[in-house]
Amino acid sequence: MRMRLVVSAFAALAASLAASPATAQVVIPDHGVIGVGPEQLRPEYWVQRQPAPDREILTPTEIAEQNRRMLAVDPSLHDLDRLPAALTRAQVREWVERRSQVPTRQLFDERGDSVTAAAIAALVDGVQLDAIPPEQPLRFALVTRRADLRTFPTRLRVFSSRDNTDIDRWQESALFPGTPAVIVHESRDAGWWFVVSHHYAAWIEKSHVAEGPREAVLGYARKEPYLVVTGAKVHTVFTPERPQVSELQLEMGVRVPLLAGWPADSVVNGQHPYAGHVVELPVRTEDGRLELVPALLPPTADVASGYLPLTAGGILRQAFKFLGERYGWGHGYNGRDCSGFVSEVYRSFGVDLPRNTGDQANTPALNRLAFTEADTHGRRLAVVGETQVGDLLYIPGHVMMVIGRVDGVTYVIHDTTGTNYLVDGALVRVPLNGVSVTQLETLQASAERTTVETIRSIQRIRR
């Protein structure tokens, strides 16, 4: 029934728009997304429209300096290198309480049942703030496989309504293999750690984390030579000899050390390495300790020897590798959300961004253009008309990436739950739920306001 309603909405939208004099010249495809045809779903269409698609936007040196500036001035990021040798109770409590806030609204589980006050009280008790010691030495760890970050130490998925189980309100983010973190607290059931990583602080299952010496953990991301994952996702080869690194998923932008000196006549986990890349990955031993082991990436894996050059053509090609991926709030559904999408695209060039849209939109480390309620619709349109490929447009709770302009209309790619259009005075919703290409100027925030009118800031990652 739900699918039938969605299809009917698309058909109604197409019919209404086709009949509207204001849109008589617009071709409305069957899918109902205004102004987007098959040609706009290919990255090369947009690359070819760029006057200099291979011109370097920022050099590696400039990117490194921008990253250092961001770490120094952006309060949402954590500099693990500069944390004191021991943490105070007040610091740990602040991190945990900020994340594990007691919900003030009714929540529902996957069956549609109300999450009871008793269940929430049990989770709050599991956080065990009372067990934080007055002082504790820093403990370092590497993430060994893609792992969810949670509001509370639980896998329980909760939702704001009974009829929408897409957005799990206790799903915060995800960490990828090789991500360094600091362990600052443990759940009462001893199954979860509260960790602080460069981008985020939240709960993670202990089984996905390996504790190790500070030098080994922080040094892992600095090892050279290295490969950077440039595909949306790549996987190590299957190996029964070492299951922990068998078909391990690595995400765009993940950096892994390359074991370039591996002997040509030595097998890697039972397989000859001549037709692949020998990389080093972290695994968790039976007692929870860190071990670094060799693994193989196939020669067909979409990887590069270092970060990609930051160019307009590169941004377009990288962004379109995610086209069609299912939207995943907080990196749920083995995917990503809007801010995760733009972060991972830029990470493949070595560019660091904060995790969430609010922090990305407001970070002072980039070339930020802010809007206020005093800015007219005309001024906003004029500024949007000056945007370039890769510019990030922020509206409340969402970010879109500019990919180009056709006949004066701006096109964006974004990981979105859906878009709104105004048809004969009525708001029509198209539930996209994935990485999608849309026009910008035709989008509506509500029946009264266009999306352009809600843009709060534009971030430009360039000189």
Side-chain angles (χ1 to χ4, degrees):
M1 176 61 72
R2 187 175 181 183
M3 178 57 71
R4 186 178 302 166
L5 289 174
V6 169
V7 173
S8 297
F10 284 167
L13 173 62
S16 298
L17 288 172
S20 173
T23 58
Q25 304 303 314
V26 179
V27 176
I28 308 301
D30 292 339
H31 53 63
V33 180
I34 294 177
V36 179
E39 66 277 8
Q40 277 95 18
L41 299 180
R42 295 183 295 104
E44 291 307 312
Y45 172 88
W46 300 102
V47 173
Q48 291 166 9
R49 299 180 71 87
Q50 293 301 302
D54 299 323
R55 180 189 300 154
E56 199 167 44
I57 296 172
L58 290 176
T59 67
T61 300
E62 289 171 325
I63 291 172
E65 176 55 34
Q66 177 177 279
N67 291 345
R68 283 192 291 270
R69 184 168 65 251
M70 180 168 293
L71 185 57
V73 303
D74 194 299
S76 72
L77 301 180
H78 307 109
D79 190 345
L80 303 189
D81 280 294
R82 293 184 176 274
L83 289 177
L87 297 171
T88 65
R89 174 185 289 156
Q91 176 62 82
V92 174
R93 189 180 184 99
E94 179 186 352
W95 277 326
V96 177
E97 285 188 318
R98 187 187 306 163
R99 185 64 57 216
S100 302
Q101 295 184 16
V102 179
T104 57
R105 60 180 171 179
Q106 182 62 61
L107 296 170
F108 305 90
D109 62 21
E110 291 182 281
R111 297 172 300 182
D113 296 333
S114 298
V115 179
T116 65
I120 291 175
L123 287 171
V124 173
D125 178 70
V127 169
Q128 62 165 359
L129 287 173
D130 57 316
I132 300 174
E135 186 177 87
Q136 56 179 312
L138 279 189
R139 298 165 61 194
F140 291 85
L142 284 178
V143 177
T144 59
R145 60 179 53 248
R146 178 179 171 132
D148 290 338
L149 288 177
R150 305 286 293 167
T151 306
F152 288 99
T154 179
R155 293 178 186 163
L156 176 67
R157 301 180 72 230
V158 298
F159 312 96
S160 299
S161 63
R162 288 188 171 92
D163 58 353
N164 186 345
T165 57
D166 260 355
I167 296 181
D168 176 2
R169 292 300 175 182
W170 287 348
Q171 176 71 18
E172 294 286 343
S173 189
L175 295 181
F176 302 148
T179 303
V182 171
I183 302 166
V184 303
H185 192 43
E186 184 175 78
S187 63
R188 196 174 296 280
D189 66 6
W192 298 73
W193 276 328
F194 193 95
V195 298
V196 177
S197 68
H198 175 65
H199 292 102
Y200 219 80
W203 293 96
I204 192 171
E205 289 183 90
K206 290 169 64 173
S207 59
H208 301 319
V209 183
E211 187 175 358
R214 174 193 177 105
E215 298 75 18
V217 169
L218 297 183
Y220 179 81
R222 303 184 181 117
K223 287 190 172 185
E224 295 185 348
Y226 61 92
L227 296 177
V228 174
V229 176
T230 48
K233 298 171 185 174
V234 303
H235 295 83
T236 59
V237 299
F238 172 80
T239 169
E241 290 84 358
R242 185 100 52 177
Q244 287 175 293
V245 292
S246 178
E247 298 181 309
L248 186 71
Q249 181 172 299
L250 304 174
E251 316 285 331
M252 183 180 287
V254 166
R255 169 178 169 160
V256 291
L258 179 65
L259 297 178
W262 190 267
D265 59 348
S266 297
V267 298
V268 178
N269 304 328
Q271 184 175 346
H272 199 287
Y274 88 103
H277 308 285
V278 185
V279 297
E280 188 176 51
L281 292 171
V283 298
R284 177 184 170 94
T285 63
E286 289 187 4
D287 61 354
R289 304 303 298 176
L290 171 66
E291 183 180 357
L292 298 176
V293 303
L296 277 176
L297 282 171
T300 55
D302 191 346
V303 297
S305 299
Y307 292 104
L308 297 173
L310 182 60
T311 66
I315 292 171
L316 290 165
R317 293 185 180 103
Q318 290 302 102
F320 272 77
K321 290 178 182 179
F322 288 112
L323 186 66
E325 180 183 77
R326 176 66 183 255
Y327 176 87
W329 169 267
H331 276 76
Y333 292 160
N334 199 34
R336 62 217 80 237
D337 53 24
C338 61
S339 55
F341 162 64
V342 299
S343 292
E344 272 123 59
V345 169
Y346 270 110
R347 197 173 301 163
S348 63
F349 304 100
V351 175
D352 192 24
L353 291 177
R355 171 61 184 90
N356 289 337
T357 53
D359 296 318
Q360 289 180 4
N362 294 303
T363 182
L366 303 176
N367 296 319
R368 180 172 181 261
L369 176 62
F371 293 99
T372 69
E373 291 298 323
D375 288 303
T376 65
H377 182 69
R379 179 178 184 274
R380 290 167 182 270
L381 283 176
V383 173
V384 165
E386 298 287 330
T387 55
Q388 302 175 50
V389 166
D391 285 352
L392 302 177
L393 312 180
Y394 292 89
I395 62 175
H398 190 55
V399 57
M400 301 168 282
M401 178 184 287
V402 174
I403 58 174
R405 199 165 285 103
V406 179
D407 297 330
V409 177
T410 308
Y411 282 74
V412 293
I413 186 169
H414 49 142
D415 204 342
T416 179
T417 57
T419 56
N420 299 323
Y421 298 109
L422 199 60
V423 181
D424 295 333
L427 198 67
V428 177
R429 177 77 171 170
V430 180
L432 295 173
N433 261 345
V435 178
S436 309
V437 172
T438 66
Q439 293 181 339
L440 174 64
E441 288 85 350
T442 53
L443 301 183
Q444 293 284 136
S446 66
E448 294 75 30
R449 299 186 77 189
T450 66
T451 294
V452 168
E453 290 172 305
T454 65
I455 296 176
R456 290 182 171 177
S457 68
I458 298 175
Q459 292 283 21
R460 290 169 170 161
I461 301 169
R462 58 188 70 247
R463 295 184 184 90

